[in-house]
Amino acid sequence: MSYSYVIIDDDKQGTLETQAMAGSFPELIFVGTANNYKKGVNIILENKPDLVFLEIDPTNLKSKLSLSLINELHRCLKVVPKIVVVTKAKKLAYEAIKYAVTDYILKSPSRGDFMQLLTKLNNDSNQMALLNDEIISKTVSISNQNTNSQQGLILCIKSYGDYRYIDTRDIAYLKADNNSTDIHLKTGEMITAFKTLKHFESALYYPFIRIHNSYIVNSCYISRIHTGNALCHIKHTLTKIPFSKTYKSNIDLIISKISSDNYLEI
């Protein structure tokens, strides 16, 4: 298979190195380059490449290159290109993983890096074809089993023979209280579970996202995100939940997810 690509990097030498290495693979088709956030978004929207080689630790901070570019792509495109981070900064690898990038390559890239990337891309394409066939054959079955999905998971809070059953779709947020966790329902009711917030973080998946050392929020119940005040507002209540810088990337993910659905920004 062949893959069109663009390079977004404010470092000219880095751009040339990436382009030179990519040029040795006939499967990779060069489209163009950009050296800042705005031009990067524009070249992607105009050309809709399969791949984006992205620098997220720019030499010039005015270029505004960062992982936030991925959020903008989710806002503007139904199908986002595969993102390959190419940077000197090893420390940003974990943050990149949270954005589900396809690969993370350190400058200066080697031929081996690109061979591994192409293998991954080809495997993903083959798996996607198989997945599409499987989705078609299981559509009816999945529809009937939706009540068993993560959003419809039944949570059992057990204490001394008392079994309390909670539909996770009714949970607005969870708050840490030392070694226990307060589960706040959409009705305003609060239930205490004698498990740590860390336990619930590992047990619950999206739309449950940790945004603070003390809070996990069901993103379906967020009515407003105020980044200036670092607060999330909960639907149909006056509750405001803080989020911390440590989990700012999770807030970016929530914003991206909301904007990728049936969405109009005015």
Side-chain angles (χ1 to χ4, degrees):
M1 293 188 65
S2 61
Y3 305 92
S4 60
Y5 72 91
V6 299
I7 302 172
I8 303 177
D9 193 338
D10 71 327
D11 176 20
K12 187 174 181 179
Q13 182 62 32
T15 299
L16 292 173
E17 290 176 353
T18 301
Q19 187 177 352
M21 188 55 66
S24 65
F25 293 87
E27 302 97 320
L28 298 177
I29 302 169
F30 177 68
V31 173
T33 66
N35 61 6
N36 62 48
Y37 180 99
K38 184 175 181 180
K39 290 180 180 179
V41 171
N42 287 340
I43 197 172
I44 293 170
L45 296 182
E46 290 172 6
N47 296 279
K48 295 182 173 58
D50 300 308
L51 281 175
V52 175
F53 291 98
L54 175 64
E55 170 63 83
I56 58 173
D57 187 31
T59 303
N60 182 2
L61 295 180
K62 291 182 179 180
S63 70
K64 298 184 179 179
L65 294 181
S66 71
L67 288 164
S68 64
L69 185 143
I70 301 174
N71 287 339
E72 182 65 12
L73 296 181
H74 278 287
R75 192 179 72 83
C76 298
L77 295 172
K78 289 185 178 179
V79 179
V80 174
K82 293 185 179 297
I83 308 295
V84 179
V85 170
V86 183
T87 183
K88 294 179 181 178
K90 292 182 180 180
K91 62 183 180 181
L92 297 175
Y94 180 68
E95 290 300 313
I97 290 171
K98 290 183 179 180
Y99 281 76
V101 301
T102 296
D103 208 346
Y104 191 94
I105 299 175
L106 294 178
K107 293 181 176 178
S108 301
S110 67
R111 185 171 178 81
D113 291 329
F114 273 73
M115 290 177 67
Q116 290 178 23
L117 170 61
L118 283 169
T119 298
K120 183 181 296 184
L121 291 173
N122 290 332
N123 287 341
D124 287 348
S125 296
N126 292 335
Q127 289 174 4
M128 184 58 68
L130 291 173
L131 181 59
N132 286 338
D133 291 340
E134 184 178 353
I135 288 173
I136 293 172
S137 65
K138 292 185 176 180
T139 300
V140 175
S141 174
I142 291 174
S143 177
N144 292 333
Q145 295 175 10
N146 273 343
T147 53
N148 294 324
S149 66
Q150 177 62 40
Q151 278 198 323
L153 177 70
I154 301 300
L155 188 65
C156 178
I157 307 299
K158 186 173 71 172
S159 177
Y160 302 106
D162 180 17
Y163 295 78
R164 176 64 186 269
Y165 301 105
I166 305 170
D167 189 328
T168 55
R169 290 172 295 187
D170 295 333
I171 299 174
Y173 65 96
L174 302 93
K175 181 181 180 181
D177 185 7
N178 295 320
N179 290 324
S180 63
T181 299
D182 294 333
I183 301 171
H184 292 260
L185 305 184
K186 65 179 182 180
T187 58
E189 183 181 3
M190 189 268 285
I191 301 163
T192 298
F194 294 99
K195 296 287 186 180
T196 64
L197 196 67
K198 184 72 174 177
H199 174 84
F200 285 100
E201 184 181 16
S202 62
L204 298 173
Y205 298 92
Y206 191 85
F208 291 93
I209 296 183
R210 190 160 188 171
I211 61 171
H212 189 279
N213 282 340
S214 298
Y215 290 97
I216 292 173
V217 67
N218 182 343
S219 57
C220 295
Y221 285 93
I222 292 177
S223 62
R224 179 182 179 186
I225 297 175
H226 197 305
T227 56
N229 293 334
L231 289 173
C232 289
H233 296 238
I234 302 299
K235 287 180 181 178
H236 311 305
T237 73
L238 297 177
T239 304
K240 301 174 185 178
I241 298 177
F243 62 85
S244 60
K245 291 182 179 179
T246 304
Y247 295 97
K248 177 59 168 59
S249 60
N250 287 353
I251 292 294
D252 292 338
L253 176 61
I254 293 172
I255 293 172
S256 174
K257 287 285 189 180
I258 292 173
S259 64
S260 66
D261 293 329
N262 198 13
Y263 176 83
L264 175 63
E265 186 173 299
I266 57 176

